[in-house]
Amino acid sequence: QAQLVESGGGAVQPGGSLRLSCAAFGFTLDDYNIGWFRQAPGKGREAVSWIDRSETNTYYADSVQGRFTISRDNARNLVYLQMNNLKPEDTGVYFCAALSLSIASMPTPGPKIDYWGQGTQVTVSS
């Protein structure tokens, strides 16, 4: 069964770091553009960062630019999101997603997404 599985979430203080991982099972990750969405309590799901299948282009939300770094290891079927200088407003559930359609910007969290992970909680609080 094809699925994405996230890991690496947790609770950190402001200014701390976390690295999220997303592992693909049952399909080949290098056929897809991969990214992260997050959902804060009471809010909709928003795109955080994406990387295209060729690793040529990366995309970031303005709110995380300069603090988060997305990368992928196609040989291991893994995608990472390194999050530094975390802020309380980064709190939320982070979802990994895979999209086969070509992208020129971060996609919206709609029906075109081929696969979703189950989400991992990130809490930034003092």
Side-chain angles (χ1 to χ4, degrees):
Q1 181 179 355
Q3 60 179 334
L4 294 169
V5 179
E6 303 98 332
S7 60
V12 296
Q13 293 185 339
S17 297
L18 286 173
R19 188 176 81 156
L20 305 183
S21 299
C22 173
F25 298 94
F27 68 101
T28 303
L29 207 55
D30 56 7
D31 290 336
Y32 294 83
N33 304 296
I34 301 295
W36 295 87
F37 291 92
R38 69 184 178 191
Q39 187 164 14
K43 295 187 177 181
R45 201 167 291 190
E46 63 171 351
V48 175
S49 181
W50 277 76
I51 183 168
D52 65 12
R53 61 172 60 85
S54 66
E55 302 182 67
T56 301
N57 298 298
T58 56
Y59 306 90
Y60 297 95
D62 289 344
S63 59
V64 308
Q65 183 76 46
R67 300 187 297 119
F68 290 12
T69 303
I70 191 170
S71 61
R72 62 192 297 165
D73 183 346
N74 287 340
R76 299 180 63 195
N77 243 18
L78 288 166
V79 177
Y80 304 102
L81 185 67
Q82 178 66 44
M83 305 186 296
N84 298 328
N85 190 22
L86 283 159
K87 303 177 180 181
E89 52 264 41
D90 294 318
T91 294
V93 180
Y94 283 68
F95 298 91
C96 180
L99 175 65
S100 60
L101 296 176
S102 297
I103 62 171
S105 62
M106 292 196 293
T108 55
K112 293 182 179 179
I113 299 295
D114 294 282
Y115 299 106
W116 286 99
Q118 82 287 353
T120 186
Q121 176 71 44
V122 171
T123 302
V124 185
S125 174
S126 56

